[in-house]
Amino acid sequence: MMKGCKFTVLKGIHVSIALLTLGFLTIMLWPRQNNPFLTTFFLHQQRFRHPSSDVLVNAPNISRSSGGHTKKVNKPILKKEAPMTGKHHNSSSSTKSVTTFTSDLEDSDEGELSAQNADCNYAKGRWVADSRRPLYSGSGCKQWLSGMWACRLTQRTDFSFEGYRWQPKKCKMKEFNRFSFLRRMRNKTIAFVGDSLGRQQFQSMMCMVSGGKEMPEVEDAAREYGLVKPRGAKRPDGWVYRFPSTNTTILYYWSASLSDLVPFNRSDKNSDVAMHLDRPPAFLRRYLRCFDVLVLNTGHHWNRGKLELNRWVMHVNGKPNQNKEFEDIGNAKNFTVHSFVRWLDSQLKSHRRLKAFFRTISPRHYLNGDWNTGGTCNNTVPLSRGSEVLQDESNDKVIESAVRGTQVKILDITAISELRDEAHMSSYSIRPTQGINDCLHWCLPGVPDTWNEILIAQI
Ligand SMILES: *[C@@H]1O[C@H](CO)[C@@H](O)[C@H](O)[C@H]1NC(C)=O
Ligand SMILES: *[C@@H]1O[C@H](CO)[C@@H](O)[C@H](O)[C@H]1NC(C)=O
Ligand SMILES: *[C@@H]1O[C@H](CO)[C@@H](O)[C@H](O)[C@H]1NC(C)=O
Ligand SMILES: *[C@@H]1O[C@H](CO)[C@@H](O)[C@H](O)[C@H]1NC(C)=O
Ligand SMILES: *[C@@H]1O[C@H](CO)[C@@H](O)[C@H](O)[C@H]1NC(C)=O
Ligand SMILES: *[C@@H]1O[C@H](CO)[C@@H](O)[C@H](O)[C@H]1NC(C)=O
Ligand SMILES: *[C@@H]1O[C@H](CO)[C@@H](O)[C@H](O)[C@H]1NC(C)=O
């Protein structure tokens, strides 16, 4: 319990007292303490709109040096690791080829970087082949990667999809380094809340941060968030892991609709479930204050079939929905996403350390049918739909319009991922015997790793 979300120790005490105490402590400590956590936090806060570099965040005293790998960091607690496939980054190189782009970044100083990245759109750019991909081994990351998404463990023989990196057009993106990332996320909690595609992004993050290597020292902190598998359930509602070296926590919570779900009868497994479109999930209302980074998504459960399967009954204002417009489920989704973002934005004012991202919808690639009518996605030729995204707008209008004008940031991966039809589970899905192709979920390692790289560039 000691290491949990630091406020859970107050469990049982009235929330307003907890908040008062928090406010009091914040006021008392904030301006005076020379606590590195607060310093980190403060710098982070200032740099919210820019992708912060490890160096800046960790070390108020930045000394420039000749190469990115030799920049000084105060109190380094972990040594740096060479990129997985070991290409040396020569910071004085000026050639701009597919594999030398990181040198651009490590050459530039912070001022230059933030000026360039302040208004850049990570969703604009191109896929490039990169021998330093994937970032972890699909057969090695057994500790966190579900077997059903590890294409290396299936009959699939073509893995060309693993060898691509996203190159934004105008923003510089630093090569992922798990040690510097962990260091940057010291004492912080990253939470993914959403559907199974959110869970894929979570597993990808776990594999990226561990390098796909066994890490028996990583702690299971699910209990601190009340996430235990209910008796008879297939799986818990979420998972929480903590890397003890930096006290970094990574969490996933299943909330496919981002609405509050309340069974009519809690003791009946087959009970209908009130789906409160205008109320965020209780889990988030309770634990939002524990998070430093929050990544949300929803989308693929907003259809009649899923609603019926889950026995979700739409409610608005605490009562069964009367609004005829919501018979079009797309309207109900739009309403929910907008209410959710409005709530989250209002919360951000009192949770200033939290950076919240709404990930746009992950595209499906069914051809010649849908998931249950023989649709397939059996192309294996990478980028046969093109490799570039040049548009400024997102292809996900719902999320784009919901976050506009708020402090919630968009993590726009839709158009990027649309170019990657070859990277789904395809016929190597968990139900191949039923002839069902999975053109919704992605092989891991794969496209969700890129979503995380784009996320990391912005936190
Ligand atoms: C992490 O939290 C612990 C306990 O609150 C504190 O002692 C430590 O300085 C923090 N580390 C950083 C890097 O903020
Ligand atoms: C910053 O670092 C440089 C080089 O390590 C050192 O000479 C200088 O005294 C440091 N400044 C402060 C304010 O710590
Ligand atoms: C980096 O590249 C420059 C110019 O291409 C070259 O002179 C230098 O020796 C290289 N350094 C390393 C460490 O590879
Ligand atoms: C871990 O980080 C949390 C803040 O996220 C802090 O409250 C806690 O004291 C830290 N624990 C240790 C052992 O540093
Ligand atoms: C709730 O479900 C349980 C188990 O099916 C049943 O025994 C009980 O009567 C139900 N309660 C109500 C209020 O319907
Ligand atoms: C979605 O909801 C917002 C806010 O209620 C509304 O302004 C917008 O027109 C809606 N968009 C669609 C496509 O229904
Ligand atoms: C791919 O799927 C289509 C049906 O959508 C099928 O006609 C075709 O034979 C398949 N190609 C391969 C190589 O399996």
Side-chain angles (χ1 to χ4, degrees), residues 264-269 271:
F264 289 171
N265 180 348
R266 283 185 190 278
S267 46
D268 180 1
K269 273 205 320 237
S271 162

Side-chain angles (χ1 to χ4, degrees), residues 88 90 92-93:
H88 181 73
N90 184 335
S92 53
S93 161

Side-chain angles (χ1 to χ4, degrees), residues 357-417:
F357 295 83
F358 212 122
R359 179 169 67 60
T360 63
I361 196 153
S362 169
R364 300 157 16 119
H365 284 99
Y366 285 102
L367 275 181
N368 305 318
D370 207 340
W371 68 274
N372 53 358
T373 55
T376 58
C377 46
N378 57 11
N379 169 45
T380 54
V381 181
L383 306 176
S384 52
R385 297 167 177 238
S387 61
E388 280 192 297
V389 174
L390 297 171
Q391 71 207 36
D392 290 309
E393 310 263 284
S394 175
N395 280 353
D396 186 338
K397 300 301 174 198
V398 172
I399 309 300
E400 184 178 55
S401 73
V403 302
R404 188 174 291 137
T406 72
Q407 295 296 305
V408 181
K409 308 216 324 169
I410 191 167
L411 179 59
D412 186 11
I413 53 82
T414 305
I416 291 172
S417 309

Side-chain angles (χ1 to χ4, degrees), residues 81-129:
E81 181 186 52
M84 230 184 119
T85 41
K87 182 166 171 86
H88 181 73
H89 306 163
N90 184 335
S91 62
S92 53
S93 161
S94 61
T95 39
K96 286 189 184 174
S97 75
V98 160
T99 49
T100 57
F101 91 110
T102 46
S103 58
D104 296 354
L105 178 101
E106 297 184 359
D107 257 347
S108 56
D109 71 29
E110 268 306 313
E112 199 186 318
L113 237 192
S114 52
Q116 280 169 345
N117 279 347
D119 296 311
C120 77
N121 180 354
Y122 286 89
K124 251 169 106 167
R126 65 186 208 279
W127 287 104
V128 292

